[in-house]
Amino acid sequence: MTCPKGGHPSYGTAVQREMYENQTVIRSSYFQTYHSVMRTSADYYNGMAAARIVAENITTMLNGGDPNGPHEVFPYSVFYVFYEQYLTMWEDVITSLLLSGSAVFIAVLLLLGLDLYSSMVTMLVISMIIINLLGAMYWWDISLNAVSLVNLVMAVGISVEFCAHIVRAFAVSTEDTRMTRAKESLVKMGSSVLCGVLSDLSIVVLAFAKSQIFQIFYFRMFLLIVLIGAAHGLIFLPVLLSYLGPQALRKKKLSIGC
């Protein structure tokens, strides 16, 4: 019985030997295995996960039942580099969003004059924007990968533009009721937020790009960020403030007549 791969140039150096105390010791070796036919991304990263399980079992067997022994077997393939991200994608998403959200919360807290309640309202709306963005990604066939994760982290910072200005204007308003304060904050800062939204819509030109990565992960995602952020900042946030807005930071000044 002969091995069809044995002696071929590709495997002529598969076994690496070295001399140790006048004995020949095998330093490393490799052998070839095959995956079944793979067509989708799920097939690729599931195949990689299965290959790692097989390698761990072989490692345990070579070490006599000790997984931490001197021998280690690990799988390698060219496509593993591209699909390894999917094995820990949700952990990376949660960790990255929590870290970026914490940084944004500290920055908003400082810029809003250490107003904790206003900062919490701002972060609540930002969280809702990210959750709605994740849902819209599923609806518009935007896969969750390293590129979309970067855009999600950027969305946390961009969403501040839609919320912080209106929340600050509400906090410093001198009107009597939450309803009138919400109306005043929207009148004063709504146009500025709207101008920022309209300037962000310049990404429409990416819809005509021939590259799929520009069409999906930049045009679609950034368009969703702008539209969802604008809807939350200009429609939902004033309504939320009219019911649960923070107290005014200063009392209404009395006007003195002549």
Side-chain angles (χ1 to χ4, degrees), residues 190-207:
S191 58
S192 299
V193 174
L194 184 60
C195 287
V197 171
L198 295 178
S199 64
D200 291 336
L201 290 179
S202 58
I203 51 117
V204 172
V205 296
L206 294 177

Side-chain angles (χ1 to χ4, degrees), residues 16-30:
Q16 299 292 326
R17 304 178 180 88
E18 66 179 7
M19 296 299 297
Y20 180 75
E21 296 182 355
N22 297 324
Q23 293 183 352
T24 302
V25 179
I26 297 178
R27 184 178 63 183
S28 63
S29 177
Y30 65 88

Side-chain angles (χ1 to χ4, degrees), residues 86-113:
Y86 293 105
L87 297 181
T88 59
M89 179 52 62
W90 277 109
E91 291 82 353
D92 294 338
V93 168
I94 294 174
T95 301
S96 300
L97 291 180
L98 287 177
L99 291 175
S100 58
S102 300
V104 168
F105 175 74
I106 294 174
V108 169
L109 182 63
L110 294 175
L111 295 176
L112 292 182

Side-chain angles (χ1 to χ4, degrees), residues 29 40 94 162 177 183 187 204:
S29 177
T40 64
I94 294 174
F162 307 113
T177 63
K183 180 179 178 180
V187 170
V204 172

Side-chain angles (χ1 to χ4, degrees), residues 131-154:
I131 293 174
N132 281 273
L133 180 59
L134 288 170
M137 287 172 58
Y138 175 81
W139 173 74
W140 212 354
D141 294 328
I142 303 175
S143 60
L144 186 61
N145 53 33
V147 179
S148 55
L149 173 57
V150 172
N151 291 336
L152 284 173
V153 174
M154 292 175 57

